[in-house]
Amino acid sequence: MVLFHHRPLWNFKPTNVLVIASDIRQLEHIEYTPAPDIIHEGAGHAPNNCQSGICGISAEVRRKLGSKAISSAKDYELYEAVRHLSIIKKPKAPSQVDIDMAQKKIEDLQDNMGEPSEMALIRNLHWWTVEYGLIGTLEGPKIYGAGLLSSIGESAWCMTDKVKKIPYSI
C-alpha cells in the first residue's frame, strides 16, 4: 500500500511505503491542526488504509491517473501557497497579518486558476473524498475523510446543519 500524503502527485514514485508526518499538534490546535501530524495519520488515514477495498481504489487512482496526469504551473503555485500557510500557522504565535496575507494569496490563486488541469481534478477528488469526504446519504452522512476523522472540532462541525452537504460530482 502506498500513500503520498501532502506531497505533490507529480513526484509520484511507487515505493510501497506509507509516508507519514511524525510530529504532533500543539495544545492550542488540539481540535484541529493546520498541518498534518501523527494524529491525522493514525486516526485519519490508518483506519481507511486497513480496508483493502478503499486502499486498492486509492492505489489504482494513483497508479492509473495520478502518475499520468498533467499539472500546470498554477497547480504548483497553489500547492506551495497552501504549504506556506500551513507552515506559518504552526508556530506558537504567528502574526495574524502574515496568516491573512497567506490566506489572501491562496484565495487569489483559487479565483484565477483558469481551466482545471488533470492534476487539479484528481487533487479535488482526493481532497473531497480521502481527506474531507462524507459517505452515506445527505440526511444521514457518516465521516469518512482523514481530515475529519482526526479532528474533533471539524468532525463535530461537519455534522451540523450549518454545513451544507452536497453530493460529490466529478
Side-chain angles (χ1 to χ4, degrees), residues 44-121:
H45 287 296
N48 286 334
N49 289 337
C50 292
Q51 301 294 320
S52 63
I54 293 171
C55 183
I57 290 168
S58 293
E60 285 297 304
V61 167
R62 282 190 306 277
R63 186 170 33 259
K64 292 185 176 173
L65 298 176
S67 65
K68 296 175 177 88
I70 298 170
S71 59
S72 69
K74 288 276 192 185
D75 292 330
Y76 186 72
E77 192 176 356
L78 180 61
Y79 169 82
E80 287 299 328
V82 171
R83 183 173 173 268
H84 173 72
L85 179 61
S86 71
I87 289 168
I88 66 169
K89 277 187 163 182
K90 210 169 179 187
K92 296 175 195 136
S95 156
Q96 189 60 47
V97 171
D98 289 341
I99 291 172
D100 291 346
M101 285 174 47
Q103 185 65 45
K104 175 82 168 97
K105 180 175 182 174
I106 290 170
E107 290 168 7
D108 289 345
L109 286 167
Q110 288 175 330
D111 290 343
N112 296 294
M113 290 295 288
E115 188 70 28
S117 67
E118 292 174 346
M119 187 57 69
L121 295 173

Side-chain angles (χ1 to χ4, degrees), residues 140-156:
K142 293 180 176 43
I143 294 172
Y144 163 75
L148 298 174
L149 289 169
S150 64
S151 173
I152 296 166
E154 292 288 312
S155 293

Side-chain angles (χ1 to χ4, degrees), residues 121 125 167-170:
L121 295 173
L125 175 65
Y168 184 82
S169 169
I170 292 174

